Amino acid sequence: NGQYVIDTTMINNGSNDNCGIDTMYLNNYTFNCIDTGANTVTLTVVDVNGNVSTRDATVWVYDTIAPVLQVQDLVVYLDANGQAFITAAEADSGSYDNCTVDTLEVSQTDFDCSMVGNNTVTFFATDIFGNVDSTTFNVSVVDTIKPTLLATGLTIYLDDNGMASIVTSDIDTGSFDNCSVDTAYLSQYDFSCEHVDSNAITLYVEDVNGNIDSTV
């Protein structure tokens, strides 16, 4: 709780009297976080005949208790640039200290396409007196952005056998993704006399994380 209570036996170091001591007391018994460091305490001793003497002593107050950590796992989504970011405050779910938490930090703040999936990140909390503790939490990086499709129409001519074929790159003019395109394919590659006229062909593009989109 950031407190400490002393008594006279912790300060008195053999006070005595020719007749006898009646009472002894301190001017301060309770210390807290703001008292960290050296504190002057006065011991007052009264004998049975009312004679009084005082003597000062130093009480050194230290805080050696590290913060209590409470963290939560996070899910982050990659943006159009294939990036995602977190802060320590987002991971913190109520960390506290007997005095005061000073700083919260995480070992990883930036995430990209190479980190899709589960990532173990270390969380650090430091109190105002430099006591630090750490724990780990999970950051799940997700890519939900579909590829951006770029396609063009095409005119082809049948050969002497009444056949013609195309490849994906004839239609796909540079489709791209925030991470990376994995595969691109068409709904039809081969054409014959029965296809003379306009034909609706679908271009499919799938990224490395399984997101897929199509256009005609």
Side-chain angles (χ1 to χ4, degrees):
N1 297 316
Q3 294 183 325
Y4 197 100
V5 179
I6 65 173
D7 58 42
T8 54
T9 63
M10 301 171 70
I11 300 300
N12 179 47
N13 191 32
S15 302
N16 60 83
D17 185 72
N18 62 330
C19 289
I21 291 175
D22 181 35
T23 58
M24 59 179 64
Y25 56 89
L26 303 171
N27 69 326
N28 186 22
Y29 293 89
T30 303
F31 301 86
N32 56 39
C33 295
I34 64 173
D35 299 312
T36 298
N39 298 266
T40 299
V41 175
T42 302
L43 172 67
T44 300
V45 180
V46 183
D47 72 12
V48 293
N49 295 305
N51 300 302
V52 179
S53 290
T54 61
R55 180 64 62 88
D56 290 340
T58 300
V59 175
W60 287 89
V61 178
Y62 297 95
D63 171 33
T64 59
I65 297 177
V68 177
L69 306 185
Q70 295 181 351
V71 298
Q72 60 188 350
D73 294 335
L74 298 176
V75 178
V76 296
Y77 296 87
L78 296 175
D79 62 18
N81 296 314
Q83 296 181 317
F85 308 92
I86 66 168
T87 65
E90 292 172 321
D92 180 44
S93 62
S95 300
Y96 61 92
D97 186 67
N98 63 328
C99 286
T100 302
V101 173
D102 183 34
T103 59
L104 301 175
E105 298 175 284
V106 288
S107 60
Q108 181 81 34
T109 59
D110 302 348
F111 300 86
D112 58 30
C113 295
S114 68
M115 299 175 178
V116 169
N118 293 322
N119 300 266
T120 299
V121 178
T122 303
F123 177 91
F124 302 90
T126 306
D127 70 14
I128 57 176
F129 298 115
N131 300 300
V132 61
D133 201 1
S134 64
T135 188
T136 59
F137 65 101
N138 183 70
V139 177
S140 180
V141 178
V142 181
D143 173 30
T144 59
I145 297 179
K146 296 178 180 181
T148 299
L149 304 188
L150 299 175
T152 185
L154 181 66
T155 299
I156 60 175
Y157 297 88
L158 299 175
D159 62 16
D160 293 341
N161 297 313
M163 302 293 294
S165 297
I166 62 174
V167 295
T168 304
S169 59
D170 292 329
I171 302 297
D172 186 354
T173 59
S175 300
F176 61 91
D177 186 68
N178 63 328
C179 285
S180 179
V181 170
D182 182 36
T183 58
Y185 55 94
L186 303 173
S187 61
Q188 184 176 345
Y189 294 91
D190 299 324
F191 301 86
S192 63
C193 295
E194 65 183 75
H195 298 113
V196 171
D197 206 344
S198 178
N199 297 267
I201 305 300
T202 303
L203 169 67
Y204 299 90
V205 179
E206 183 175 358
D207 71 12
V208 292
N209 295 308
N211 301 299
I212 188 169
D213 203 1
S214 62
T215 187
V216 178

